[in-house]
């Protein structure tokens, strides 16, 4: 047992009711009254971030709901999971948001989905159940039928208000001017500078977690691919990894190499798309056209190699469904051309003063805020958070390869652009290594039945760490918690835009590269 | 045939149709009614230098008030239903609606649940369905041509 668990046990001795370890996950069942203290201790004293908080409805087993708090320990690739029990008759528990800011949305999500009330939460408004949902509708409770159509009721969402002379509000969305996903932004401005921004999302809430409980396991991979479309591979791989962990499967090395290649191809086209978006939003059309063409080149390469422009349908529980070893030369050749052009593009961008002027010092996300909100992925790394699941909780074949985790301290749009650009080059390097060392052998192991159990899956998507926690029972999914990186990152935009001018908002938004669908689910 | 050649041929046909019917260009407003965002990836691809649909007289506009056609993606979530209706009502008639992607066609993998209404035609009338998950850019262009044929038929019927 590792040192951190020892010190938790020492600190809280009799309050830890039960300890069980499965793979690299240690579950500590603790008293709910002590949860704030314990989380505070692990977060502030042991310095481990909370990567996910989720609930399960176990009333059928022991008449209670459970809430899980997942802490990640990068040093020895393990997870500490605190678990509290909440009685159905007294559906309340102490909120930890006042101590750990990143718990904010998780607790509100649990309130909407399970009807468990975080007592003392500083902002207990609804999140995904809009105000026109009747009270008492909690879709993830087991006795809620997925086909229910709750009636619409009256109700209004109250935005935070900024008052003062010359302050006015600009509402934007949910239907935007560009081809982007729906969400609402409420700016309070005085002149051009933004004094306050409040985001309101969950317009694209599609009931994904409930759907997982209602479809067969072989279909579930396809659903995972459709949670955040441009991160299809990452979601599919994370899902499969959790399932494979439950089943105790070791997938063939060749499949792990192929997964790594797919994950990095996805990262490349996403990062290039983000850079294209930034160029578009500063009206630098030449750069945007160039970057968009490069992205299209990658999408076409994807299609030639896998049959899908977005690399869909490749992953399955137990490995991959199609061998791409035959396309080795084609991938290497195309990538070398793409990388050469990409380098030229980046040189061009960084020598264009009108672009640099718009992105340097713009949309600064300070390290302490990023850390407090647990901002993940390239956005976090551009604000000095040295975290990358590929290194910290290695999966697929990443352990075997050399790559650099790119970190920058500046935290502005420029830093985020550079981090992405450098990551593209690292990704190309990873794909080359994976192709050169592609092991012979099968690409999948057959899986007939998934045993009962539970496990975490984790992966570094282009947007950052993606987490699944799955519990299976009777070859069906009992519960599937999905945590997309955007769920962590969205709130950071409220801080990154402060004191910036409204016209810079689109650039900041693009540089944070946030998924609405992955967030809303 | 390369993608570029394919697009050139399809694009010219599209352009002829648009000119025939509108005598100008076709203005499209894209509405995401709850998609997974992959459909948006492909709509965005239509504007990249390879497809560049603008040169064939297709223009993606910023407001439904400027649009001849709504290109709707996603299964229409409960939370987007009213926004989609408002957008539809804000679009001047005569208008076309294209449902893009399996989700928009019939709810796709998200189906009909507490959070999703199913296809776009549950909420607003749809003229053309473009299947695919997501449809390739070529499929979207083809779908738009079918929509234009339908419009032409509609106009002819009125004239008769
Ligand atoms: S049709 Fe497919 S790609 Fe389009 S929104 Fe639905 S799931 Fe996503």
């Amino acid at each position: 047992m590792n040192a951190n668990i020892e010190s938790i046990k020492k600190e809280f001795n009799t309050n830890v009711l039960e300890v069980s370890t499965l793979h690299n996950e240690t579950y500590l069942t603790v008293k709910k009254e002590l949860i704030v203290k314990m989380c505070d201790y692990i977060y502030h004293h042991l310095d481990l971030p909370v990567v996910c908080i989720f609930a399960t409805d176990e009333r059928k087993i022991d008449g209670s709901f459970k809430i899980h708090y997942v802490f990640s320990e990068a040093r020895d690739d393990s997870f500490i999971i605190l678990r509290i029990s909440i009685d159905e008759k007294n559906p309340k528990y102490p909120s930890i948001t006042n101590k750990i800011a990143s718990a904010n949305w998780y607790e509100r999500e649990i309130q909407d989905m399970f009807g468990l009330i975080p007592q003392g939460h500083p902002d207990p408004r609804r999140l995904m159940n809009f105000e026109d949902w009747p009270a008492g509708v909690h879709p993830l409770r087991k006795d809620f039928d997925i086909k229910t159509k709750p009636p619409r009721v009256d109700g209004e969402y109250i935005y935070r208000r900024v008052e003062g002379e010359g302050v006015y509000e600009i509402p934007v969305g949910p239907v935007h001017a560009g081809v982007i996903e729906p969400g609402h932004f409420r700016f309070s401005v005085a002149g051009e500078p933004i004094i306050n921004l409040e985001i309101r999302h969950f317009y694209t809430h599609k009931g994904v977690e409930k759907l997982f409980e209602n479809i067969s396991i072989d279909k579930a991979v396809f659903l995972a691919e459709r949670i955040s479309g441009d991160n299809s591979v990452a979601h599919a791989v994370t899902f499969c990894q959790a399932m494979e962990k439950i089943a105790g499967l070791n997938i063939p090395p060749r499949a792990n190499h192929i997964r790594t290649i797919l994950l990095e191809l996805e990262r490349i086209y996403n990062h290039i798309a983000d850079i294209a978006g930034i160029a578009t939003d500063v009206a630098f059309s030449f750069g945007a056209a160039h970057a968009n063409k490069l992205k299209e080149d990658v999408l076409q390469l994807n299609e030639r190699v896998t049959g899908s422009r977005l690399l869909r349908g490749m992953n399955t529980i137990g490995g991959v469904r199609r061998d791409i070893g035959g396309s080795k030369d084609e991938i290497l050749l195309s990538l070398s051309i793409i990388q050469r052009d990409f380098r030229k593009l980046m040189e061009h961008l960084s020598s264009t003063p009108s672009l640099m002027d718009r992105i340097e010092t713009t949309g600064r996300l300070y390290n302490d805020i990023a850390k407090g909100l647990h901002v993940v992925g390239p956005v976090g790394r551009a604000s000095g958070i040295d975290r990358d699941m590929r290194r910290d909780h290695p999966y697929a074949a990443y352990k075997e390869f050399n790559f650099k985790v790119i970190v920058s301290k500046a935290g502005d749009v420029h830093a985020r652009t550079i981090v992405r650009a450098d990551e593209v080059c690292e990704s190309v390097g990873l794909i080359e290594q994976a192709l050169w060392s592609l092991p012979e052998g099968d690409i999948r192991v057959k899986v007939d039945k998934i045993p009962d159990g539970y496990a975490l899956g984790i992966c570094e998507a282009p947007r950052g760490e993606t987490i699944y926690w799955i519990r299976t029972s009777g070859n069906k999914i009992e519960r599937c918690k999905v945590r997309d990186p955007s769920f962590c990152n969205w709130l950071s935009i409220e801080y990154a835009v402060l004191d910036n001018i409204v016209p810079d908002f689109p650039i900041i938004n693009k540089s944070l590269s946030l998924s609405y669908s992955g967030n809303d689910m | 045939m390369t993608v570029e050649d394919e697009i050139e041929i399809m694009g010219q046909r599209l352009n002829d149709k648009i000119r025939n019917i509108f005598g100008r260009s076709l203005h499209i407003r894209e509405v995401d009614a709850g998609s997974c965002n992959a459909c948006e990836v492909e709509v965005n691809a239509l504007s990249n230098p390879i497809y560049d649909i603008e040169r064939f007289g297709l223009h993606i506009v910023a407001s439904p008030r400027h649009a001849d056609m709504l290109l709707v993606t996603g299964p229409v979530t409960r939370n987007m239903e009213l926004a989609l209706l408002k957008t539809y009502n804000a679009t001047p008639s005569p208008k076309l609606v294209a449902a893009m992607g399996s989700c928009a066609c019939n709810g796709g993998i998200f189906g009909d649940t507490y959070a999703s209404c199913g296809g776009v035609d549950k909420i607003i009338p749809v003229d053309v369905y473009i299947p695919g998950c997501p449809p390739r850019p070529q499929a979207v262009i083809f779908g738009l041509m079918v929509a234009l044929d339908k419009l032409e038929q509609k106009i002819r019927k009125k004239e008769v």
Side-chain angles (χ1 to χ4, degrees):
Chain A
M1 195 164 294
N2 75 27
N4 282 332
I5 293 178
E6 284 304 328
S7 49
I8 296 170
K9 276 170 78 185
K10 220 157 117 207
E11 186 78 21
F12 295 95
N13 52 53
T14 55
N15 293 306
V16 179
L17 306 173
E18 199 195 318
V19 183
S20 64
T21 305
L22 252 173
H23 317 287
N24 58 350
E25 303 160 20
T26 306
Y27 292 82
L28 305 173
T29 308
V30 305
K31 287 189 184 155
K32 97 174 172 189
E33 294 73 28
L34 265 140
I35 193 65
V36 181
K37 255 196 167 154
M38 292 192 76
C39 287
D40 190 36
Y41 178 78
I42 301 176
Y43 184 85
H44 286 114
H45 188 79
L46 303 179
D47 200 21
L48 305 182
V50 190
V51 293
C52 187
I53 303 174
F54 61 92
T56 53
D57 178 356
E58 298 176 12
R59 286 177 297 167
K60 253 202 234 138
I61 306 168
D62 63 1
S64 70
F65 295 96
K66 302 272 190 301
I67 297 185
H68 301 70
Y69 302 77
V70 186
F71 295 86
S72 131
E73 220 173 343
R75 226 177 351 164
D76 61 355
D77 176 25
S78 67
F79 298 92
I80 298 176
I81 298 136
L82 298 186
R83 179 152 58 180
I84 57 171
S85 216
I86 293 162
D87 190 36
E88 186 181 3
K89 296 197 191 70
N90 181 25
K92 295 178 187 138
Y93 66 101
S95 159
I96 63 165
T97 302
N98 285 318
K99 298 268 186 213
I100 302 173
S102 57
N104 182 353
W105 274 16
Y106 293 112
E107 291 186 338
R108 288 168 66 186
E109 178 188 25
I110 293 171
Q111 174 171 274
D112 282 0
M113 289 290 131
F114 288 89
L116 307 175
I117 298 158
Q119 283 180 301
H121 193 292
D123 177 15
R125 285 174 299 178
R126 290 189 182 181
L127 206 58
M128 35 214 30
N129 294 3
F130 279 10
E131 278 57 36
D132 64 1
W133 294 58
V137 173
H138 305 299
L140 284 179
R141 286 192 170 198
K142 285 283 170 196
D143 47 15
F144 180 91
D145 179 14
I146 189 167
K147 294 273 177 205
T148 318
K149 296 274 180 192
R152 278 189 202 274
V153 297
D154 286 338
E156 197 196 343
Y157 183 86
I158 309 293
Y159 288 91
R160 285 192 297 261
R161 282 203 77 106
V162 178
E163 286 177 359
E165 211 183 290
V167 177
Y168 62 99
E169 286 188 342
I170 311 175
V172 178
V175 179
H176 297 288
V179 179
I180 55 168
E181 301 175 72
H184 186 85
F185 300 91
R186 185 68 61 103
F187 298 92
S188 298
V189 296
E192 292 256 274
I194 301 168
I195 304 176
N196 186 51
L197 163 66
E198 184 168 354
I199 54 171
R200 175 162 194 235
H201 284 337
F202 302 94
Y203 284 91
T204 68
H205 176 65
K206 296 183 274 287
V208 167
E209 290 182 6
K210 187 79 181 176
L211 260 174
F212 270 116
E213 299 171 13
N214 286 278
I215 57 175
S216 61
I217 283 182
D218 49 335
K219 241 180 142 182
V221 189
F222 299 111
L223 181 57
E225 284 180 339
R226 283 154 184 81
I227 289 174
S228 181
D230 50 8
N231 282 207
S232 292
V233 183
H235 272 272
V237 167
T238 321
F239 173 84
C240 292
Q241 279 170 354
M243 286 303 225
E244 287 151 7
K245 218 165 159 190
I246 295 174
L249 285 179
N250 274 327
I251 74 160
R254 191 174 176 89
N256 266 331
H257 274 63
I258 294 177
R259 277 187 184 172
T260 309
I261 295 166
L262 298 173
L263 285 161
E264 294 308 319
L265 281 172
E266 182 169 81
R267 194 177 326 277
I268 293 174
Y269 87 74
N270 268 279
H271 282 3
I272 297 180
D274 292 336
I275 292 168
I278 292 168
T280 308
D281 284 340
V282 299
F284 183 40
S285 341
F286 171 75
H290 193 162
N292 275 321
K293 157 155 189 311
L294 282 176
K295 175 191 173 191
E296 176 68 23
D297 288 343
V298 185
L299 293 181
Q300 290 189 11
L301 171 68
N302 291 348
E303 189 174 31
R304 290 197 302 275
V305 173
T306 69
S308 159
R309 285 164 56 89
L310 301 176
L311 305 164
R312 284 181 167 176
M314 283 293 287
N315 282 287
T316 180
I317 302 169
V320 292
R321 291 145 63 98
R322 189 166 164 172
D323 203 339
I324 60 173
S327 314
K328 180 178 162 185
D329 295 337
E330 162 145 39
I331 301 176
L332 288 174
L333 179 67
S334 304
L335 279 184
S336 74
I337 298 171
I338 290 168
Q339 190 179 23
R340 191 198 61 206
D341 288 355
F342 181 70
R343 287 226 168 95
K344 266 197 226 149
L345 166 72
M346 288 315 296
E347 267 167 36
H348 199 103
L349 293 183
S350 50
S351 59
T352 304
S354 60
L355 173 91
M356 297 312 276
D357 187 45
R358 288 288 299 278
I359 65 175
E360 274 171 348
T361 72
T362 304
R364 210 162 241 160
L365 183 62
Y366 292 98
N367 178 270
D368 51 342
I369 290 185
K371 203 162 174 233
L373 295 172
H374 188 58
V375 172
V376 298
V379 176
R381 289 192 283 278
S383 290
I385 299 179
D386 188 4
R387 245 177 100 73
D388 189 321
M389 293 306 106
R390 296 175 290 176
R391 179 197 62 199
D392 300 341
H393 293 287
Y395 53 95
Y398 286 107
K399 248 191 185 146
E400 298 166 33
F401 307 134
N402 292 321
F403 63 96
K404 259 205 324 243
V405 174
I406 315 285
V407 184
S408 162
K409 289 225 158 62
D412 54 2
V413 175
H414 178 243
R416 293 192 276 277
T417 312
I418 296 301
V419 166
R420 289 203 178 90
D422 291 350
E423 286 191 7
V424 168
C425 299
E426 292 298 320
S427 295
V428 174
L430 275 163
I431 295 174
E432 287 170 353
Q433 294 176 57
L435 280 170
W436 285 328
S437 62
L438 194 63
E440 291 300 322
D442 290 338
I443 53 165
R444 67 189 283 193
V445 284
K446 261 227 126 351
V447 190
D448 300 320
K449 198 175 167 294
I450 302 287
D452 294 1
Y454 50 85
L456 279 168
I458 197 154
C459 164
E460 183 76 25
R463 292 194 174 89
E465 64 189 53
T466 304
I467 298 175
Y468 277 57
W469 185 88
I470 303 176
R471 178 199 280 279
T472 53
S473 144
N475 207 26
K476 284 203 70 160
I477 295 172
E478 257 301 289
R479 171 88 174 97
C480 179
K481 168 67 201 164
V482 183
R483 209 279 273 122
D484 186 85
S486 296
F487 193 79
C488 298
N489 287 4
W490 259 115
L491 281 175
S492 69
I493 199 170
E494 293 186 355
Y495 297 89
V497 297
L498 293 180
D499 289 332
N500 286 268
I501 54 172
V502 179
D504 277 346
F505 169 74
I507 314 164
I508 300 170
N509 190 7
K510 205 46 76 49
S511 74
L512 295 171
S513 176
L514 298 152
S515 161
Y516 299 66
S517 183
N519 176 65
D520 306 354
M521 285 191 310
Chain B
M1 205 189 314
T2 65
V3 173
E4 281 85 345
D5 298 337
E6 222 172 280
I7 296 303
E8 201 55 48
I9 294 167
M10 293 181 86
Q12 280 316 329
R13 277 173 54 199
L14 185 64
N15 199 359
D16 292 345
K17 276 187 206 285
I18 292 175
R19 218 171 279 164
N20 251 336
I21 300 170
F22 289 95
R24 53 179 177 101
S25 54
L26 173 67
H27 287 201
I28 302 175
R29 172 67 243 168
E30 198 263 357
V31 185
D32 176 341
S35 96
C36 76
N37 84 24
C39 277
E40 277 59 46
V41 171
E42 295 301 35
V43 177
N44 278 320
L46 287 173
S47 310
N48 76 28
I50 306 290
Y51 304 99
D52 191 16
I53 51 164
E54 198 119 348
R55 69 198 151 122
F56 304 125
L58 281 169
H59 186 50
I60 296 183
V61 291
S63 164
R65 296 193 193 283
H66 306 158
D68 306 304
M69 173 193 262
L70 294 181
L71 182 64
V72 189
T73 64
V76 190
T77 61
R78 178 194 161 97
N79 291 346
M80 269 308 282
E81 188 184 334
L82 299 179
L84 175 63
L85 256 177
K86 278 188 193 166
T87 309
Y88 180 76
N89 291 334
T91 313
S93 293
K95 52 195 159 196
L96 285 167
V97 176
M100 170 181 172
S102 318
C103 290
C105 290
N106 71 346
I109 197 162
F110 301 107
D112 188 12
T113 67
Y114 77 93
S116 145
C117 306
V120 174
D121 59 8
K122 294 267 175 65
I123 313 297
I124 56 175
V126 171
D127 296 286
V128 53
Y129 300 83
I130 307 173
C133 184
R136 299 167 77 219
Q138 289 92 323
V140 180
I141 295 177
F142 182 77
L144 297 179
M145 287 203 256
V146 175
L148 289 171
D149 283 341
K150 266 194 97 170
L151 185 68
E152 204 177 7
Q153 282 168 13
K154 267 193 204 171
I155 296 170
R156 276 222 199 101
K157 253 190 211 151
K158 257 197 197 145
E159 280 170 359
V160 172

